[in-house]
Each structure stands twice: as structure tokens, then as C-alpha cells.
């Protein structure tokens, strides 16, 4: 019988023992490092905190920023920007600061955020006394995966959603804020992110408002109330708003989905995408209404806004006027619903046919309404003037209190129609005519021009008869929408002053 061999207990055996111990130690160290790294990601400890006091229009704000190590695709770090309404006497946040508003960033906003928060962010602090924050993200926007193959930051797969929810907790712990549900406000791809947050964390979100998001997500009565807005002329945003209008009208989402279309940030920008101050204010009003109905919304009910909000909201049309048939064989008198219905100064706007500028209708009628006029868009190409006269006469004689002053505003071929119609009506109507670039020859206009008529041209015409009714503005009208709106304001002010 051959005895079993035994392992030597000398130097060779001890070496193997130390080898196994060292290897186990390295594995344990690696595990601890990985564990420590995961803890760092999950805890998201703020680094390089910078805070300062900012006095803005009589209000005191604590404006700050800090860095977070997130280790997400293309974003090893991110910078969080925030503002907190501050009680300078007691050196602490105001009680209202517990309401936190998150502004989800839009695509490529990280470069401009390096300078800090925008005025639109600070407005929430100043107007309502809320805390507001946003952050910079380098991952590009996409509905699914980015061209680099990374999940989009606007979806839960992108890995950013836990970061978004951790930031309010950091602010609460650092400054002693009470826990409240978040409100969301954003635009463009940030609006898509806001929608996805509502779908992912419906119990954490009180309400959301956005502008210009072309995404259409399956919102329903189970989710927080939302306000979907767009700038008219932004085809993707308008299309999404129209889809949400259909959802809101189907009776299954009472008070949950609200929509509006409004003017752009600037009428001169070729890309009509950024929201105007009016739309931003409407978004603020909507979120304020939500914070006043926390108990109702906690029960899953929709928003039941105040009459004050409804009055503001009605200034923004719920359907796009560009869908109207400008070449209809019958006269089309389309009222701008947002205009004050009790106004006794009426404007009939005859645009050029076909429309010269994209969204000219909306810009013009919205501005006229803001000037206190009741405006009507006049479209159609009837074969004779009698149909125009009949349609206009029926409208003018129908209200209990007929209009006191009438303004026929025409542009290009619409100016010719306005000029002809003004001559056809009974002089007792006292119609004021303002025509921009009429196609009729100046000498013909001059033969019958009088004090209630004004003709505006881009540039002085050769051999134009000297007449006070002919005007040549210093700034050209070509593709200059700001000059057009200034012109509207001037004639409205002049009309009101001459009452």
C-alpha cells in the first residue's frame, strides 16, 4: 500500500498561503472600491459648492451651484445651478422655498448654462418665492438612442432620472426645506424630458408645463396635470399640441391636459420655436394654480383653475388660424377669440392673397387684440363685392352695441380690397383705412384720398403726388415683422386718441 503524499509545510507551502491571502485581499479591496464608487454615485455628494446673495428687483435670492460626479455617458460630472428665495434678516430660506421647480434642460443648453441661471429661471423665485434648479447635460437629445449609441437623457434608460430626484433632496438637506412635490417647466426637448418624468414618477410631480416639445407621450388621467403649449408656426410643436387637444376633448382627461398656442420669443427670428414672455407667464400661472390645489390634485383630480387664470388662458387660441381657407369662394370673417368681446373699436384685417408671411395672421391679430381692438381676419376670394358688403353689414349690425370706430387694415392685394370696400360703405360708418403697399397706382389713390386714409409704402415712389395720406417709413418693411407690429401699435394708439 502506497502512503498518501503530504504537502510540504516548509517555505513552498507558506508561499502559497500568502499568495491566496494576497489575492483575496486584492479582491476585497476591489470590491470595496467598487462599493465606494457606487455609494458615491447614489449619494451624489455635492462638490465645489458656490453660493452668493443676489438682490433682484426688490427680492433677495440665494444663487448657487455645485458639482456632482455622475459617471454617465459623456458626463463624468455635471453642474447644478439653483436659486432659493432668501430671508435676509434671518439668513434662511423663505417658507415658500420648499416648493421646488425643476427646469429640465433642452438639447445643447449646457454651453449657455455655464453663465448661470437665466432670467426665466429666476422669475419663478422672484414672482412666487419658489426654489428653482437646472443642470448641464452633454448627452445629445434623441427620442431613443443618440447617434453615439447612448440612451437619450430625456428617457429613463439614459440614467439621469435618479439624479434629477436626488438634487431636490440635496437642496432640502442643505437648507432645511420641507418636502413637496416638484413642478416642472421647460421648452423644446426639455419638455419631452418633463413628460417622461411625469410618466416615470407620477407621485413625485405635482404639475408640468412646457412649450415647443414635438413629442406626444401617452398622458392620461393617472398622471399629473400638464400644460402643453407651442409657438404658432412651429410645426412639430403645433402638431403635438393639436394631438393633446384631441386627448383633452375626448372626455377621459378632465382638467388633466391643457393646451395653448402663442407668439414666439422674437418675431424677427427665422426659427419660431422659443416661447415668448407671454407664454412663459402662462406656464407660470398654470403651475401656480396647481400649487393652490394640492389637496385636489393629491386625490387624482384634474386642475380646476380660477377665473383669473381662465381669462388669461383664453388670450391664447386653441386652434391654428393657418388652417382656414384663405381662397374660399365666400367671405370668411374669422374673429380672434382672444380679443376683448366688449371692445367697441373693431379692425377688419385683409391680408395679401395668398399670405405673404408665415404666421402673419396670428402675429397681426394677436397684436391688435393686445392693443384693445376686436379683430377679424377677412379671407376669401368672392367674385363680386356684394357678398363682402352683405357679410360685413350683417356682422356690424348684429351686436346690441355696434362698434364706434372701424378700421380697415389691408396689405398688398388686401389693401386694394379694403380701399374698395371702404368706398362702397355708407359714410356714416366713419371707416378709417390703413393700407400697406396697395397694388393700386398712387395717382388713383390720391384722387380720392382723405383724412381717414393712410397709405404706407416700403420706399418713396417716383412721381408720387404730394399728399398727407402717403407715408414712407424710414425703416423698410421687407421681411421686417417688428416694423409691421410697431405700425399696428401706432395706428391703434392714434385711433384711440382720436375717440
Amino acid at each position: 500500500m502506497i502512503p498518501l503524499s503530504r504537502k510540504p509545510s516548509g517555505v513552498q507551502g507558506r508561499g502559497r498561503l500568502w499568495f491566496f491571502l494576497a489575492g483575496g485581499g486584492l479582491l476585497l479591496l476591489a470590491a470595496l472600491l467598487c462599493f465606494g464608487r457606487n455609494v458615491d454615485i447614489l449619494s451624489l455628494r455635492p462638490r465645489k459648492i458656490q453660493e452668493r446673495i443676489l438682490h433682484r428687483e426688490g427680492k433677495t435670492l440665494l444663487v448657487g451651484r455645485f458639482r456632482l460626479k455622475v459617471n454617465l455617458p459623456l458626463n463624468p460630472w455635471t453642474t447644478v445651478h439653483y436659486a432659493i428665495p432668501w430671508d435676509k434678516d434671518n439668513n434662511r430660506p423663505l417658507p415658500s422655498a420648499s416648493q421646488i421647480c425643476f427646469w429640465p434642460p433642452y438639447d445643447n443648453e449646457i454651453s449657455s448654462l455655464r453663465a448661470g441661471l437665466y432670467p426665466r429661471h429666476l422669475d419663478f423665485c422672484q414672482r412666487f418665492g419658489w426654489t428653482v434648479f437646472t443642470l448641464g447635460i452633454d448627452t445629445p437629445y434623441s427620442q431613443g438612442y443618440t447617434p453615439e449609441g447612448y440612451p437619450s437623457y430625456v428617457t429613463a434608460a439614459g440614467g439621469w432620472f435618479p439624479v434629477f430626484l436626488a438634487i431636490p433632496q440635496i437642496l432640502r438637506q442643505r437648507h432645511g426645506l420641507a418636502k413637496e412635490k416638484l413642478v416642472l417647466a421647460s421648452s423644446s426637448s426639455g419638455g419631452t424630458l418633463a413628460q417622461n418624468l411625469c410618466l416615470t414618477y407620477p407621485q413625485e410631480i405635482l404639475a408640468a408645463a412646457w412649450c415647443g416639445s414635438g413629442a406626444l407621450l401617452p398622458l392620461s388621467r393617472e398622471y399629473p396635470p400638464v400644460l402643453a403649449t407651442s409657438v404658432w408656426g412651429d410645426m412639430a410643436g403645433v402638431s403635438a399640441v393639436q394631438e393633446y387637444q384631441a386627448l383633452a376633448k375626448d372626455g377621459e382627461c378632465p382638467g388633466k391636459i391643457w393646451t395653448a398656442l402663442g407668439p414666439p420669443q422674437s418675431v424677427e427670428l427665422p426659427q419660431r420655436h422659443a416661447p415668448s414672455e407671454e407664454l412663459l407667464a402662462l406656464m407660470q400661472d398654470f403651475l401656480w394654480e396647481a400649487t393652490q390645489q394640492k389637496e385636489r390634485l393629491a386625490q387624482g383630480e384634474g386642475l380646476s383653475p380660477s377665473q383669473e387664470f381662465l381669462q388669461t388662458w383664453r388670450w391664447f387660441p386653441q386652434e391654428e388660424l393657418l388652417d382656414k381657407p384663405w381662397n374660399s369662394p365666400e367671405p370668411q370673417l374669422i374673429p380672434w377669440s382672444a380679443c376683448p368681446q366688449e371692445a367697441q373699436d373693431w379692425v377688419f384685417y385683409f391680408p395679401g392673397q395668398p399670405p405673404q408671411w408665415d404666421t402673419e395672421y396670428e402675429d397681426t391679430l394677436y397684436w391688435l387684440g393686445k392693443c384693445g381692438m376686436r379683430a377679424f381676419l377677412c379671407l376669401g376670394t368672392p367674385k363680386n363685392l356684394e357678398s363682402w358688403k352683405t357679410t360685413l353689414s350683417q356682422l356690424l349690425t348684429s351686436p346690441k352695441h355696434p362698434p364706434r370706430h372701424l378700421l380697415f387694415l389691408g396689405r398688398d392685394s388686401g389693401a386694394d380690397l379694403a380701399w374698395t370696400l371702404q368706398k362702397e360703405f355708407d359714410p356714416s360708418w366713419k371707416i378709417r383705412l390703413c393700407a400697406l403697399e396697395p397694388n393700386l397706382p398712387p395717382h388713383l389713390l390720391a384722387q380720392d384720398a382723405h383724412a381717414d386714409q393712410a397709405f404706407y409704402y416700403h420706399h418713396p415712389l417716383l412721381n408720387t403726388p404730394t399728399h398727407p395720406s402717403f407715408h414712407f417709413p424710414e425703416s423698410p418693411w421687407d421681411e421686417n415683422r417688428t416694423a409691421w407690429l410697431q405700425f399696428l401699435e401706432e395706428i391703434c394708439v392714434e385711433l384711440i386718441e382720436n375717440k
Side-chain angles (χ1 to χ4, degrees), residues 152-191:
S152 171
Y153 76 96
V154 305
T155 64
W160 282 94
F161 284 17
V163 178
F164 301 149
L165 291 189
I167 295 171
Q169 184 62 24
I170 293 173
L171 296 175
R172 293 180 187 123
Q173 291 177 352
R174 178 171 176 79
H175 293 287
L177 305 177
K179 184 175 181 180
E180 297 277 2
K181 290 186 176 183
L182 297 178
V183 294
L184 309 176
S186 193
S187 62
S188 194
S189 55

Side-chain angles (χ1 to χ4, degrees), residues 451-465:
D452 291 329
Q453 295 177 344
F455 306 102
Y456 289 81
Y457 287 92
H458 294 77
H459 303 288
L461 303 176
L462 296 177
N463 302 320
T464 299

Side-chain angles (χ1 to χ4, degrees), residues 313-365:
W313 174 71
R314 291 189 182 105
W315 271 99
F316 300 90
Q318 306 307 305
E319 295 181 0
E320 197 178 23
L321 290 181
L322 286 178
D323 293 335
K324 302 299 181 181
W326 67 266
N327 58 347
S328 168
E330 297 297 329
Q332 301 287 319
L333 299 184
I334 305 166
W336 184 252
S337 57
C339 291
Q341 299 300 306
E342 70 279 3
Q344 289 189 274
D345 297 312
W346 289 18
V347 180
F348 292 92
Y349 174 47
F350 302 87
Q353 306 287 357
Q356 298 286 320
W357 295 339
D358 181 31
T359 68
E360 176 186 352
Y361 300 160
E362 289 92 339
D363 286 342
T364 299
L365 298 182

Side-chain angles (χ1 to χ4, degrees), residues 187 261-262 273 401 413:
S187 62
L261 300 174
H273 185 60
H401 303 285
S413 58

Side-chain angles (χ1 to χ4, degrees), residues 53 58 87 169 190 239 256 284 348 397 419 429 432 437 446:
I53 294 295
D87 184 345
Q169 184 62 24
S239 177
K256 289 286 188 173
Q284 289 182 3
F348 292 92
T397 56
W419 181 78
W429 281 110
R432 171 79 184 275
E437 281 292 299

